[in-house]
Amino acid sequence: MAFARALAAGVLVGLLYAALRVKSPAPPPVALFGLLGKLAGQSLPAALYALTAGRPVAGCVVWYGPADLTGAGPHTPEGLLLGHAPAADPGRARRASPVGRAGAEAPPFLLLQGDGDTMVPVAQSEALATALRSAGADVTFRAVAGADHLWIGAPDEAVEDVFAQSVAFAARVTRRR
């Protein structure tokens, strides 16, 4: 239900932006998916759920998601999730981080992130990929050359490939069920 509300809100905001002739720095599909991600709670909750839910999740696609909260600042969105600076309670920050929950029982993961991301460093996805691989989980990681957060700066072909990889991954993992 949350995703349906996020989609409706995204469409309404998109229509409002079009009516007001607001220009986005990202192509419309990328901007819409970025907005949906923000409205749906970004990918941190999804990744944590996928890593803790047992096995009801077929797979997890994570685009530029924070994976290790231990280094987050107190006023970042990730730090605000904890309610305090991660340094004040590193154990809690680690438990709230997907990298701290990686295990062999994790569902398959597809991690996609721009190598020039200025909001969530690409090292976050690299760390989650390493933790999942070390635990024996099925993980695919790809850094998108020249892309910032929301795929800004990436060539259209690279953004289309991100979408195609995400859809192909979802088709693959749901066929196995």
Side-chain angles (χ1 to χ4, degrees), residues 102-104 109 111 125-142:
F109 268 72
L111 306 172
S125 290
E126 291 169 339
L128 182 54
T130 298
L132 288 164
R133 266 191 214 104
S134 295
D138 174 5
V139 61
T140 301
F141 167 69
R142 177 176 165 236

Coordinates of all heavy atoms in Angstrom, one line a residue, residues 102-104 109 111 125-142:
A102 N 24.4 -8.9 6.9 CA 24.6 -9.8 5.7 C 24.9 -11.2 6.2 O 25.7 -11.5 7.1 CB 25.8 -9.3 4.9
G103 N 24.2 -12.2 5.5 CA 24.4 -13.6 5.9 C 24.1 -14.4 4.7 O 23.5 -14.0 3.7
A104 N 24.4 -15.7 4.8 CA 24.2 -16.6 3.7 C 22.7 -16.8 3.3 O 22.4 -17.1 2.2 CB 24.8 -18.0 4.0
F109 N 20.9 -10.1 -4.2 CA 20.9 -8.6 -4.2 C 21.5 -8.2 -5.5 O 22.5 -8.7 -6.0 CB 21.8 -8.1 -3.1 CG 21.1 -7.8 -1.8 CD1 20.7 -8.8 -1.0 CD2 20.9 -6.5 -1.4 CE1 20.0 -8.6 0.2 CE2 20.3 -6.2 -0.2 CZ 19.8 -7.2 0.6
L111 N 23.0 -4.6 -6.6 CA 23.4 -3.3 -6.1 C 24.0 -2.4 -7.2 O 24.9 -2.8 -7.9 CB 24.5 -3.4 -5.0 CG 24.3 -4.4 -3.9 CD1 25.5 -4.6 -3.0 CD2 23.1 -3.8 -3.0
S125 N 27.9 0.8 -1.2 CA 27.5 -0.4 -2.0 C 28.6 -1.4 -2.1 O 28.3 -2.6 -2.0 CB 27.0 0.0 -3.4 OG 25.8 0.7 -3.3
E126 N 29.8 -1.0 -2.2 CA 30.9 -1.9 -2.3 C 31.1 -2.7 -1.0 O 31.3 -3.9 -1.0 CB 32.3 -1.1 -2.6 CG 32.3 -0.6 -4.0 CD 33.5 0.4 -4.1 OE1 34.0 1.0 -3.1 OE2 33.8 0.7 -5.3
A127 N 30.9 -2.0 0.2 CA 30.9 -2.7 1.5 C 29.8 -3.7 1.6 O 30.1 -4.8 2.1 CB 30.8 -1.6 2.6
L128 N 28.6 -3.4 1.2 CA 27.5 -4.4 1.3 C 27.8 -5.5 0.3 O 27.6 -6.7 0.7 CB 26.2 -3.7 0.9 CG 25.0 -4.6 1.1 CD1 24.9 -5.3 2.4 CD2 23.7 -3.8 0.8
A129 N 28.3 -5.3 -0.9 CA 28.6 -6.4 -1.8 C 29.6 -7.3 -1.2 O 29.5 -8.5 -1.2 CB 29.1 -5.8 -3.1
T130 N 30.7 -6.7 -0.6 CA 31.7 -7.5 0.0 C 31.2 -8.3 1.2 O 31.5 -9.5 1.3 CB 32.9 -6.6 0.5 OG1 33.4 -5.9 -0.6 CG2 34.0 -7.4 1.2
A131 N 30.4 -7.7 2.0 CA 29.8 -8.4 3.2 C 28.9 -9.6 2.7 O 29.0 -10.7 3.3 CB 29.0 -7.5 4.1
L132 N 28.1 -9.3 1.7 CA 27.2 -10.4 1.2 C 28.0 -11.5 0.6 O 27.7 -12.7 0.8 CB 26.2 -9.8 0.2 CG 25.1 -8.9 0.8 CD1 24.4 -8.1 -0.2 CD2 24.1 -9.8 1.6
R133 N 29.0 -11.2 -0.2 CA 29.8 -12.2 -0.9 C 30.6 -13.0 0.2 O 30.6 -14.2 0.1 CB 30.8 -11.5 -1.8 CG 30.4 -11.5 -3.2 CD 31.5 -11.1 -4.2 NE 30.9 -10.3 -5.2 CZ 30.9 -9.0 -5.3 NH1 31.7 -8.3 -4.5 NH2 30.3 -8.4 -6.3
S134 N 31.1 -12.4 1.2 CA 31.9 -13.1 2.2 C 31.0 -14.0 3.0 O 31.4 -15.1 3.5 CB 32.5 -12.1 3.2 OG 33.4 -11.3 2.6
A135 N 29.7 -13.7 3.1 CA 28.7 -14.6 3.8 C 28.2 -15.7 2.9 O 27.5 -16.6 3.3 CB 27.6 -13.7 4.3
G136 N 28.6 -15.6 1.6 CA 28.1 -16.7 0.7 C 26.8 -16.4 0.0 O 26.2 -17.3 -0.6
A137 N 26.3 -15.1 0.0 CA 25.1 -14.7 -0.6 C 25.3 -14.4 -2.1 O 26.4 -14.1 -2.5 CB 24.5 -13.5 0.1
D138 N 24.2 -14.5 -2.8 CA 24.2 -14.2 -4.2 C 24.1 -12.6 -4.4 O 23.1 -12.0 -4.0 CB 23.0 -14.8 -4.9 CG 22.8 -14.5 -6.4 OD1 23.6 -13.8 -6.9 OD2 21.8 -14.9 -6.9
V139 N 25.1 -12.0 -4.9 CA 25.1 -10.5 -5.0 C 25.8 -10.1 -6.3 O 26.8 -10.7 -6.7 CB 25.8 -9.9 -3.8 CG1 27.3 -10.3 -3.7 CG2 25.7 -8.3 -3.9
T140 N 25.2 -9.1 -7.0 CA 25.8 -8.5 -8.1 C 25.9 -7.0 -7.8 O 24.9 -6.4 -7.4 CB 24.9 -8.7 -9.4 OG1 24.7 -10.1 -9.6 CG2 25.5 -8.1 -10.6
F141 N 27.1 -6.5 -8.0 CA 27.4 -5.1 -7.8 C 27.9 -4.5 -9.1 O 28.7 -5.0 -9.8 CB 28.4 -4.9 -6.7 CG 28.9 -3.4 -6.6 CD1 28.1 -2.4 -6.2 CD2 30.2 -3.2 -7.0 CE1 28.5 -1.1 -6.2 CE2 30.7 -1.9 -7.0 CZ 29.8 -0.8 -6.6
R142 N 27.4 -3.3 -9.4 CA 27.9 -2.6 -10.6 C 27.9 -1.1 -10.3 O 26.9 -0.5 -9.8 CB 27.0 -2.8 -11.8 CG 27.4 -2.0 -13.0 CD 26.6 -2.3 -14.2 NE 26.9 -1.2 -15.2 CZ 26.0 -0.5 -15.8 NH1 24.7 -0.6 -15.5 NH2 26.3 0.5 -16.6

